[in-house]
Amino acid sequence: MVDHEAVKEVLRAQRIELPSWAFGNSGTRFKVFAQRGVPRDPFEKVADAAQVHKYTGVAPVIALHIPWDAVEDYRELGRAAADRGVELGTVNANVFQDDDYKLGSVTNPDPAVRRKALDHLFECVDIMDATGSRDLKLWFSDGTNYPGQDSIRARQDRLAEALAAVYERLAPHQRLILEYKLFEPAFYTMDVPDWGTSFAHCLTLGERAKVCVDTGHHAPGTNIEFIVAFLLRVGKLGAFDFNSRFYADDDLIVGAADPFQLFRILFEVRVGGGFDAETGIAFMLDQCHNIEPKIPGQIRSVMNVQEATAKSLLVDTAALEEAQRAGDVLGANGVLMDAYNTDVRPLLAELRAESGLDPDPMAAYARSGYAERIIAERVGGKQAGWGA
Ligand code: RM4
Ligand code: MN
């Protein structure tokens, strides 16, 4: 039997972190379609993120990306967030958008470029000191396009050296989160292509170095829930970058392409104790809303994560274990599918009503007039974008 009160308690305690860049303009390398009302600075991004929290109640943290979100005074940005009921979260470093990084950042063959990249990473830690952020998330676009272009092995040495220097610089409460990606922008080798590479570096670094699983960064057909189960078991799952993909790193709304996969991932989180706050997993979104409106896109994303979480919590684990022990293949699978096939929307609507929220966040936001207001107010200035 499933304890519905316990399910609700986990759902109430859930915290989903929003990416600041989801609120800015974005697109593909073919075209960025600007949208009206898009934030012109990090303060406006924080304001938009606060709307997502206002209607969902479970998204009180906004992740920054530096230098996209560079401001004069980070404490002031933190206060602006607090005034709106949200807080600043993970600091994402960006060593992939400077001409100097054509052949890599921390793995570049030129020591002067490596130094420049490392200085940026240190600057990000300084920002964390000011914002009170716990996590530094590192994603490196570093890699090569042609066999023989550079030494695969020497690049690993350079990477290890840079990571050690950053790890050393962290305060005891801060963590280094290392993200991996199979390909793109490099097409032959990536220096951190997969979870195994990230995991191995994190193991060498120490306790506070953990892996980030970006759901869009795998080869098609990869069993992501296996990776999640494995990393959780050994205490090395630091964060998710949730999004969904049909083909490559599509950065579409999480749960849009494959809600069943999202459920399977979150079920492994559940059985691995990952919903306990002490486990310290950052449940982040990493998405772009290229053609859909951004704030509703984020609200929908948060709701999709909530729905998959609720279904994962509805799995009758006692019945599952019993079927597993008995070698009842179809029975065990049936228990899992029963939970997945449950319509959890009424449960979530009830939960929201109990917390004083509108049961339908999408409709409540649409009614609020906020979208019309920012379109009217945000005239002039330069809209935020990812600068690609
Ligand atoms: C990368 C990676 C990072 C994100 C950037 C915008 O592909 O997923 O997490 O910060 O994109
Ligand atoms: Mn990511």
Side-chain angles (χ1 to χ4, degrees):
M1 276 304 283
V2 176
D3 175 353
H4 275 80
E5 262 322 300
V7 168
K8 279 184 170 176
E9 210 173 302
V10 178
L11 290 169
R12 264 193 296 269
Q14 190 164 39
R15 291 286 166 268
I16 296 166
E17 189 167 339
L18 309 179
S20 68
W21 52 102
F23 301 97
N25 282 326
S26 61
T28 64
R29 67 182 189 275
F30 300 102
K31 171 74 180 159
V32 171
F33 296 101
Q35 294 187 16
R36 291 190 300 160
V38 156
R40 281 90 42 92
D41 58 41
F43 290 88
E44 291 181 349
K45 290 184 193 173
V46 162
D48 288 4
Q51 290 292 305
V52 178
H53 181 52
K54 182 174 176 187
Y55 295 101
T56 61
V58 291
V61 190
I62 175 166
L64 302 180
H65 215 299
I66 308 297
W68 299 339
D69 295 319
V71 289
E72 281 287 308
D73 183 348
Y74 288 93
R75 290 197 170 76
E76 190 191 346
L77 187 63
R79 278 193 299 273
D83 286 348
R84 294 170 188 275
V86 295
E87 64 183 71
L88 306 177
T90 302
V91 171
N92 291 259
N94 184 329
V95 281
F96 52 87
Q97 285 189 311
D98 193 289
D99 284 337
D100 282 340
Y101 300 143
K102 185 169 80 175
L103 300 181
S105 63
V106 293
T107 67
N108 195 297
D110 180 348
V113 177
R114 296 207 292 275
R115 181 74 244 170
K116 172 176 169 166
L118 193 57
D119 283 343
H120 171 73
L121 303 184
F122 288 154
E123 184 200 338
C124 287
V125 184
D126 292 341
I127 293 170
M128 293 164 70
D129 292 340
T131 55
S133 302
R134 179 190 60 175
D135 291 349
L136 173 67
K137 175 131 66 64
L138 302 178
W139 174 70
F140 296 107
S141 63
D142 296 44
T144 66
N145 271 5
Y146 294 99
Q149 180 191 320
D150 196 4
S151 156
I152 292 175
R153 195 177 157 138
R155 292 177 78 92
Q156 285 302 312
D157 292 341
R158 297 172 202 146
L159 174 66
E161 198 183 308
L163 291 174
V166 176
Y167 191 75
E168 179 75 11
R169 164 70 184 79
L170 295 176
H173 65 279
Q174 294 171 335
R175 312 190 307 172
L176 183 158
I177 308 291
L178 183 58
E179 182 173 352
Y180 57 90
K181 183 175 174 181
L182 173 68
F183 83 99
E184 197 200 22
F187 293 123
Y188 170 54
T189 57
M190 286 291 272
D191 294 321
V192 191
D194 53 28
W195 71 270
T197 309
S198 173
F199 174 63
H201 280 285
C202 288
L203 263 188
T204 311
L205 288 171
E207 183 60 30
R208 285 172 297 110
K210 304 202 187 249
V211 180
C212 169
V213 175
D214 182 314
T215 48
H217 288 187
H218 307 86
T222 300
N223 185 329
I224 300 175
E225 60 269 29
F226 175 85
I227 299 169
V228 168
F230 185 96
L231 291 174
L232 249 173
R233 178 175 171 272
V234 293
K236 280 293 184 195
L237 181 63
F240 280 104
D241 266 6
F242 282 125
N243 51 59
S244 65
R245 53 83 65 89
F246 288 98
Y247 301 105
D249 186 24
D250 305 349
D251 279 341
L252 297 173
I253 287 176
V254 56
D258 189 347
F260 183 41
Q261 179 188 60
L262 182 60
F263 160 78
R264 299 191 312 261
I265 290 171
L266 289 169
F267 178 64
E268 288 309 325
V269 170
R270 178 198 165 183
V271 296
F275 290 128
D276 305 340
E278 311 81 74
T279 318
I281 299 172
F283 293 89
M284 279 200 43
L285 307 179
D286 177 12
Q287 306 183 162
C288 295
H289 303 292
N290 299 347
I291 57 167
E292 68 275 26
K294 295 163 198 303
I295 297 171
Q298 286 287 288
I299 293 176
R300 168 56 65 202
S301 306
V302 168
M303 291 171 70
N304 285 355
V305 175
Q306 278 188 302
E307 285 174 22
T309 303
K311 291 180 183 203
S312 81
L313 296 167
L314 286 182
V315 175
D316 184 341
T317 44
L320 182 68
E321 280 159 25
E322 199 185 311
Q324 289 172 343
R325 261 195 310 274
D328 180 359
V329 176
L330 294 179
N333 178 244
V335 172
L336 211 72
M337 296 313 293
D338 272 347
Y340 177 66
N341 287 318
T342 308
D343 183 358
V344 293
R345 290 171 299 179
L347 170 73
L348 287 163
E350 188 183 304
L351 192 79
R352 289 184 193 110
E354 284 168 9
S355 323
L357 295 169
D358 193 293
D360 183 347
M362 294 291 284
Y365 171 75
R367 270 196 319 269
S368 73
Y370 185 85
E372 293 74 14
R373 204 158 64 241
I374 54 177
I375 287 175
E377 283 171 6
R378 293 179 184 166
V379 238
K382 191 175 174 293
Q383 293 190 319
W386 62 0

